[in-house]
Amino acid sequence: MNTMTPTERAVREVRQAAFELNATDHKQALRMLNEALKLQPGHADLLGDLATLHLQAGRHRQCIQAAREALAAKPEHDDSAFALALSLDAVGEADEARELFLELTEGARAERFASQPELVDLCRSKLLQIEAASAARPAPAAADPLEQADATPKVYVPLLTRPDALGQLLDETEGVRALTLDCFDTILWRHTDHPTDVFYDMQRRPAFKAAGIDATMRQKGEFFARQLQLVRTGRTEVTLDQIYLAARPGLSREMLAWLAEDELAAEMNACHALPGAVRLLREARTRGLPVTIVSDTYFDAPRLRRLLEHALPADASAAIGEIVVSCEHGMCKEQGLFKLAQLNQLGNSPAILHVGDNKAADFTAPRAVAMSATHLLHENEQGQQRRRMAANVVALFDPSVRQQRPLHMPYRPVHASHGHQSGTPQASIGHDSLGPLMHAFAAWIDEEAAALAATRSQVKLVFLMRDAYLPLQTYRAIGGACTAYSAHISRFSAYAASFRTQEDVDQYLANFSRNLSLPMIARQLLLSPQRTALLVEQAEASATPLQTFLRGVRQAHVLAEIVTASAAHRERLRRYLERETGMQPGDTLVLVDLGYAGTIQRVLGPTFSQDWKVEVLGRYLLAVGAVDEGFKGLLDRSWLDERALKIVQTYIGLLETLTSTDGASTVGYADDGSPVFETDSAQDGQSAMVEPIQAESLRFAREAQAYFRAARRLPPATVLRDEALGSLGRLLFFPNAMELAHLANFTLEINLGSGVARKLFDIDAGLEGLRRHGLFYMRSAHGGGRMALPAELRAAGLELSTAMLAHARFGMPMVQTDWSTRSEPLLAVIPRGDRTMHAEIVATATHDGYFSALVPLANGEGNVGLAFGRDYGWIQLHSAEIVPLAAMTEEADVMAQLLHAGIKDHGHGLLEFEGTDSLLMLPAGANPISGKAALRLVFRPIARRA
C-alpha cells in the first residue's frame, strides 16, 4: 500500500524533475530546488540535491553550505556527506574531507554507502590522493583554502543529457580537456528495434548464404563464442572471427574476411549518425579537444572507423582520433577497458569526459576510474514498454519479422529525444502513438504522389473529410511536395451520388437492407419524406416488412425519383469538387483516407471516369482487399495477409475518432456546391479532448521530419511502416493505464447518416462481462455494441488482450471450455413432489477467481437449491440471473429472490455457510422467464471445506 503523503509525493516529483532538467537547463533546475525549499525549508533530500548541483558546477562554497544544512537536518544523509567531502577536498580542507571519506568507506556510513560501489571506489581514490599529497608536503604552511581551490582546475559536467541536447553538451561543461564517446546508440543509431535485427539483413547477403549462417545461427555463434571465452579467460569479449568459427568451425581466412565485410555492409545499411553527435564532434574539433571512441563491440578498430566514416560527415569524422574496442583488448568497459586503454594520460582524469547511453558501461565505469561522465538518456520506462508492445504487435501481424527480415523501429531516436515530454495522456496517445503512424502515412503519400507525378501531368491529393483531417495536417506539417486539398465526401454523400441505374440501387440494397432501418435506407436513397412515410407504412402493415419495402423501392416511378435525385446530387458534388480542388478533365485525383475498402472511390469511380473524365485513385492508411495501381495502402496485402488487415479494420473505430475533424458528417451539397452537414451526435466536449491529442501528433511529425532532415536520411516507407503498424496495434490492443483512463469517455459516430454514436469501450462493463462469461463475452450481446473491446481486455490483463489478438489473428478455434481446466463442484438440490433429486454441476472458471455455474430449470420453473455448504465455508456471490436458453429474451436478475438457509450474509456478496447442509435457494415462482431457462450463478470461492 502506498503510504506516501501528498507533501512527500510532491517533493519526490520536484526532485525527479530537477534531476532530468539539469541535463538541459542547470539554472532552471537550481531555481526549482530553491523554490521547493521555500515551501519545505530544511528538507534534507532537497538540500542534498542542491549540494550536488553546486558540486557539479564547481561552486564548492555553496555546496559546503547546502550539504552541512542537509546533514544538520538528517545526519545519516550520506549523499550529502559525500558531496561535502568532495567540496572540502577541492577547497583544501583535506583533514575534514579525509574523515568524511573514511566514514563513507570504513566508518559509520560505510554499510549504507556500500550500495553505491562506484562512489565508494571514488572515495578510496580520494583518500589515496590525500595521503599522497600529505606525504609529499614539505612542511605545514598557513594558506587560504579558497585560494588553493582557485588554483585547482575546475571541472563540471552534467550528469545526464538527451539526444537532442547532445550537440550543446560542451557548452554546459567546464574544465573538460578531452572527450571519449561510446559508438552505438550514442553516435551511430540503427533503424531497427534491436542490434540483432541487423542479422536478418546479413543472412541475405552473399557471404552468409555461402557459409550457411543465418540470423539465428549468428546469434547462437556469438553466445557460444562468449561462453567459450569466459571458460578460457574469465571474460566474454570476442571478435567476429571467433563468432563465425563458433557458428561454423573450419571456415577459411578468406571466408572469415568476406563474412566480416558483409556484416559491416549490413551495419552500414542500418546505421545513421545522430545529428546531435555530429554537432558534438564538430564542436570538439573546433575547441581542439581530442576525441577517442570507446566501444564494447565485436568490430575491430579499422572496421569500426570505416563504419563511422560511412555514416558521419567528413568534418565530424575527422574529429575522431583513437578508437578503442573491447574485442581487441579482451575486456569491456565495465571490466576495465578505460584503464587498459590508458585514457588518463592527461593526469587530471576528471578533465576527460565520457558520454554514452549504457548507465553501467558509460557512466558508472568511467567514474570508477575518476573520469567524468554524462549519461545519454534514451526512452523512459513508459517508452520502453510502448516499444515492447509495438514490437509484439508487428511480430504477430507479420510472421516474416525476425524470420526473413528485421523489425524496423526508425523513430527510436525521436522518441529518445522527445519522449520524456509524454507525461500526459494526450502526449502518450498523440505524440508517441498517433505521431509515428501519421508521419509514416504522410511520408508514404508523398512517395506515392512523386511516383504518380512522374507519369501523369496533373496529380492532386484529395484528403477526405472527416477521417483524413489529421493525415492532411500531417502531410502539410512535413512539407509534402504535392498540392493537397480537403474534400467533404462521406460514404453517405458518395452513395447518394452513385444511383445511376436500377443495378446501382439493387447493389446498395443487397449490401445494407438487412443492417439498416427502413427510414435510414429511404434517406440514403434520397426519397422524399412523403414517399418514405408511404413505403414504411406499407411495409410495417405487411407480414414481411423488408420484402414489401424492397418491392416498393424497386417500382419504376420510385426508381425514377431515386435516379433523378441522385443526378442532381451528383451535379452539386461536381460543383463542390471544382470549387475546392479545381478539378477538370484530365486530372488524376488521388483520394486519401484511412480506408478501408475504398467505398467512396468504388461507388464514385464510374462518375469520375465516365462523366467527368477524371482518373481517380485511392491511397489509404489501411487497404483491405486486392491491391493494384488504383488501390493501395500503407498497410495492405503487399506485405500483410488479409486476416491481419481485417482484425485492424474491426477495431479501427478508435483511430477514426482521433484523426477526424470536429465537424459533422456530410449528407449533401447546396446548389452553390457548399457541403451540407449532419448534426454531430458525439457527446459535447469530445472535440476538446481530441484537439490536444492531434496537436501532440503533429508535434511528433514535425520533430521526426526535422530529425530525418538533420540526419540526412529519410527512411523509405517500407521501413517506416513497421513502426506505423506497431504504434497503431499497440494503441488498439495494448493501451497503457493512462491512455485507457483518458479514452474511456470517447464515442464514435456511425456514418451513413445514421446519427448514432456509440461508446468505444467501457472498462467496468468489460470487467463485468469477463467475470460472468470469461473472455468470450466479446462474442455475445454482452459486448454492448462497443467498438474497442480489446481495450477492455487490456485493462483486465495483458494475457487476455494477447490471447484475443492471437485468436483473431491466426483464426485459432476456441470455445469457452478451452480457456481453463479449472472448475468447481456444485451440488444442485431439486425438489420433485415428495422426492428430492441431486445433480452435480460443474462451474467453469471465468475471471478474477470467479466461476460460472449454469443450473437448468426444469420446465422453466424455479425451486432449486444449491448446496454450497457441502464444499465451501465462504464464497463471494457476484450475480444470480435467469438465462433464457431458446427465445431471445433479456436475462433476469434474481439476486433479491434468493433464499438463505444456514447462511450468514456479510454484505457485498460475502456469504458464510454455517454447516455442510447450508443451502442457497431459488424458490418456485421466482423465474420471470417463460420457456426453457437456466439459473446462472457467478461466484468466487473464499474458503473451502477441509
Coordinates of all heavy atoms in Angstrom, one line a residue, residues 10-22 32-33 46 49 160 162 377 380:
A10 N 5.0 15.3 -3.6 CA 5.4 16.5 -4.3 C 6.9 16.7 -4.3 O 7.5 17.1 -5.3 CB 4.7 17.7 -3.7
V11 N 7.5 16.4 -3.1 CA 9.0 16.5 -3.0 C 9.6 15.6 -4.0 O 10.6 15.9 -4.7 CB 9.4 16.3 -1.6 CG1 10.9 16.1 -1.5 CG2 9.0 17.5 -0.7
R12 N 9.1 14.3 -4.0 CA 9.7 13.3 -4.9 C 9.6 13.8 -6.4 O 10.6 13.7 -7.2 CB 9.0 12.0 -4.8 CG 9.6 10.9 -5.6 CD 8.8 9.6 -5.6 NE 7.5 9.9 -6.2 CZ 6.5 8.9 -6.3 NH1 6.7 7.7 -5.9 NH2 5.4 9.2 -6.9
E13 N 8.5 14.3 -6.8 CA 8.3 14.8 -8.1 C 9.2 16.0 -8.5 O 9.7 16.0 -9.6 CB 6.8 15.1 -8.4 CG 5.9 13.9 -8.3 CD 4.4 14.3 -8.4 OE1 4.1 15.5 -8.4 OE2 3.6 13.4 -8.4
V14 N 9.4 16.9 -7.5 CA 10.3 18.0 -7.8 C 11.7 17.6 -7.9 O 12.4 18.0 -8.8 CB 10.1 19.0 -6.6 CG1 11.3 20.1 -6.7 CG2 8.8 19.8 -6.7
R15 N 12.1 16.6 -7.1 CA 13.5 16.1 -7.2 C 13.7 15.4 -8.5 O 14.8 15.6 -9.2 CB 13.8 15.1 -6.0 CG 13.8 15.8 -4.7 CD 14.1 14.7 -3.6 NE 15.4 14.3 -3.7 CZ 15.9 13.1 -3.3 NH1 15.0 12.2 -2.7 NH2 17.1 12.8 -3.4
Q16 N 12.8 14.6 -9.0 CA 12.9 13.9 -10.3 C 12.9 14.9 -11.4 O 13.8 14.8 -12.3 CB 11.8 12.9 -10.5 CG 11.8 12.2 -11.8 CD 13.0 11.3 -11.9 OE1 13.5 10.8 -10.9 NE2 13.4 11.0 -13.1
A17 N 12.1 15.9 -11.3 CA 12.0 16.9 -12.4 C 13.3 17.7 -12.4 O 13.9 18.0 -13.5 CB 10.8 17.9 -12.2
A18 N 13.8 18.1 -11.3 CA 15.1 18.8 -11.3 C 16.3 18.0 -11.8 O 17.1 18.5 -12.5 CB 15.4 19.3 -9.8
F19 N 16.3 16.7 -11.5 CA 17.3 15.8 -12.0 C 17.3 15.8 -13.5 O 18.3 15.9 -14.1 CB 17.1 14.4 -11.4 CG 18.1 13.4 -11.9 CD1 19.4 13.4 -11.5 CD2 17.6 12.4 -12.8 CE1 20.3 12.4 -12.0 CE2 18.5 11.5 -13.3 CZ 19.8 11.5 -12.9
E20 N 16.1 15.6 -14.1 CA 16.0 15.5 -15.5 C 16.3 16.8 -16.2 O 17.0 16.9 -17.2 CB 14.6 15.0 -15.9 CG 14.4 13.5 -15.5 CD 13.1 13.0 -16.0 OE1 12.4 13.7 -16.7 OE2 12.7 11.8 -15.8
L21 N 15.8 17.9 -15.6 CA 16.0 19.2 -16.1 C 17.5 19.7 -16.1 O 17.9 20.4 -17.0 CB 15.1 20.3 -15.4 CG 15.0 21.7 -15.9 CD1 14.5 21.7 -17.3 CD2 14.2 22.5 -15.0
N22 N 18.2 19.2 -15.2 CA 19.6 19.6 -15.0 C 20.4 19.2 -16.3 O 21.4 19.8 -16.6 CB 20.2 18.9 -13.8 CG 21.6 19.4 -13.5 OD1 21.9 20.5 -13.5 ND2 22.6 18.4 -13.3
M32 N 14.3 25.5 -9.4 CA 13.2 24.6 -8.9 C 13.5 24.1 -7.5 O 12.6 24.1 -6.7 CB 13.1 23.5 -9.9 CG 12.0 22.5 -9.7 SD 11.9 21.2 -10.9 CE 11.4 22.1 -12.3
L33 N 14.7 23.7 -7.2 CA 15.0 23.3 -5.9 C 14.9 24.4 -4.9 O 14.4 24.2 -3.8 CB 16.4 22.6 -5.9 CG 16.6 21.3 -6.6 CD1 18.1 20.9 -6.6 CD2 15.7 20.2 -5.9
L46 N 16.0 17.7 -0.4 CA 16.1 18.8 -1.3 C 17.5 19.5 -1.1 O 18.1 19.9 -2.1 CB 15.0 19.8 -1.0 CG 13.6 19.3 -1.4 CD1 12.5 20.3 -0.9 CD2 13.5 19.1 -2.9
D49 N 20.2 17.4 -2.8 CA 20.2 17.6 -4.3 C 20.8 19.0 -4.7 O 21.5 19.1 -5.7 CB 18.7 17.5 -4.8 CG 18.2 16.1 -4.7 OD1 19.0 15.2 -4.4 OD2 17.0 16.0 -5.0
L160 N 23.6 14.0 -16.9 CA 22.8 13.4 -18.0 C 22.5 14.4 -19.1 O 22.5 15.6 -18.9 CB 21.6 12.7 -17.5 CG 20.6 13.5 -16.6 CD1 19.6 14.2 -17.5 CD2 19.9 12.6 -15.6
R162 N 20.2 14.4 -23.2 CA 19.3 13.7 -24.1 C 19.8 13.9 -25.5 O 20.6 14.8 -25.8 CB 17.9 14.2 -24.0 CG 17.3 13.9 -22.7 CD 15.8 13.8 -22.7 NE 15.2 13.4 -21.4 CZ 14.9 12.2 -21.1 NH1 15.0 11.2 -22.0 NH2 14.4 11.9 -19.9
L377 N 20.6 9.8 -22.0 CA 19.3 9.1 -21.7 C 18.6 8.8 -23.0 O 18.5 9.6 -23.9 CB 18.4 10.0 -20.8 CG 18.9 10.2 -19.4 CD1 17.9 11.1 -18.7 CD2 18.9 8.9 -18.6
N380 N 12.2 6.6 -21.4 CA 11.9 6.2 -20.0 C 11.2 4.9 -20.0 O 11.0 4.2 -21.0 CB 11.1 7.3 -19.4 CG 9.8 7.6 -20.1 OD1 9.3 6.8 -20.9 ND2 9.3 8.8 -19.9

